[in-house]
Amino acid sequence: MTDAPVCRVWWSPVVDDPAVRALLDADERARHDRLHQAADRARLATGRALIRTVIGGLTGTPPRRVPLRRRCRHCGGPHGKPFVPGAGVRFSLAHAGGRVVLAVTEGPEPGVDVERVHGRSVGRLAPRVLAEAEYRVFRALPDHRRDLAWAVYWTRKEALLKAVGLGIVVPKRDLTVSAPGRSPALVEWRGPYAAGPFALFDLEPGSGYAGALAVRGRAARVEERFLAHPLDGGQEAVGRRRPPP
């Protein structure tokens, strides 16, 4: 395990204050201002500020000078997963509710996801998302455990798909992951986009959330840090080691 790549994970609360917005470029500010919901604007601003602050700290670049680009891996268009040209690091970003999470490696591609645990109609969605073996486990659970189980299944699958840069292209039923409560692992990936191997981890976003991380390769070491503000991401000593309540 000493040779396993390190994946650093930063958790931030959602913040939309002048200092955070100051790190948005012109296109991002325009997109921010077009969003109707305050929560969506805050998550966009937090995510971009967190990326620039963390990558800036890792590369010795002032956050305002960290460029963010988007390029689709499939068509080459200006959309898809963001990246920092020439930074030498790979990263993945996700957000849900009041949490934003950023995973960064200097080697293999990471994929990260977070999901709120809440009482939506997961029973209706489960057959469309869960593989046959997963659905059998899910249906055997008592009702009060299904919301968390759903969030665990969802985040594990999303993390894997993000690690290979795939989203709606791949039906989630093509992936089978280990059951909630068991060590996270990819059990099977069917279909033309099958990939692997992956190191898969459950993260600690705090009460009411589930989170997962996938890193391409057979092993990785994970370091989680919990920030009080997204602009703290460039200061190594600021990150708390325990998740927020």
Side-chain angles (χ1 to χ4, degrees):
M1 182 65 76
T2 57
D3 295 329
V6 176
C7 185
R8 301 177 184 178
V9 177
W10 283 264
W11 291 96
S12 171
V14 172
V15 179
D16 190 4
D17 62 22
V20 167
R21 291 194 297 275
L23 292 186
L24 301 181
D25 64 23
D27 289 342
E28 292 162 347
R29 284 194 296 272
R31 182 182 171 197
H32 172 276
D33 294 344
R34 286 196 301 268
L35 294 171
H36 296 293
Q37 299 295 325
D40 293 334
R41 294 194 297 271
R43 282 190 284 266
L44 170 65
T46 300
R48 295 301 183 268
L50 183 61
I51 292 171
R52 288 194 168 95
T53 303
V54 168
I55 302 301
L58 292 174
T59 61
T61 306
R64 291 175 184 269
R65 297 182 59 186
V66 173
L68 274 175
R69 303 287 183 266
R70 300 173 73 90
R71 183 178 64 236
C72 178
R73 296 183 183 182
H74 304 287
C75 73
H79 52 270
K81 187 175 181 179
F83 68 99
V84 177
V89 297
R90 302 174 186 270
F91 64 88
S92 179
L93 181 79
H95 55 71
R99 303 283 194 271
V100 175
V101 59
L102 175 69
V104 180
T105 73
E106 295 182 3
E109 194 77 40
V112 72
D113 195 54
V114 59
E115 176 82 358
R116 291 183 66 184
V117 179
H118 48 68
R120 66 183 182 180
S121 182
V122 297
R124 177 178 55 84
L125 296 171
R128 307 177 189 178
V129 171
L130 302 182
E132 183 177 345
E134 296 168 335
Y135 190 52
R136 286 198 300 269
V137 172
F138 180 81
R139 291 195 63 187
L141 293 172
D143 289 345
H144 70 277
R145 292 179 55 193
R146 288 186 177 182
D147 288 340
L148 177 57
W150 166 265
V152 171
Y153 276 128
W154 180 273
T155 55
R156 289 179 179 179
K157 294 187 179 203
E158 277 288 297
L160 288 162
L161 292 173
K162 288 181 178 183
V164 294
L166 298 170
I168 60 174
V169 174
V170 178
K172 287 186 173 61
R173 295 186 79 249
D174 284 359
L175 282 71
T176 302
V177 297
S178 53
R182 302 199 171 201
S183 296
L186 173 63
V187 177
E188 182 183 21
W189 189 329
R190 300 177 301 160
Y193 296 99
F198 296 93
L200 187 61
F201 305 88
D202 289 331
L203 300 176
E204 298 185 42
S207 177
Y209 292 84
L213 169 73
V215 181
R216 300 204 70 162
R218 297 191 179 278
R221 291 182 291 135
V222 180
E223 298 176 358
E224 285 184 85
R225 293 171 173 82
F226 303 90
L227 307 175
H229 191 280
L231 302 191
D232 295 339
Q235 304 173 35
E236 191 73 16
V238 173
R240 293 180 287 118
R241 296 292 177 148
R242 295 182 62 81

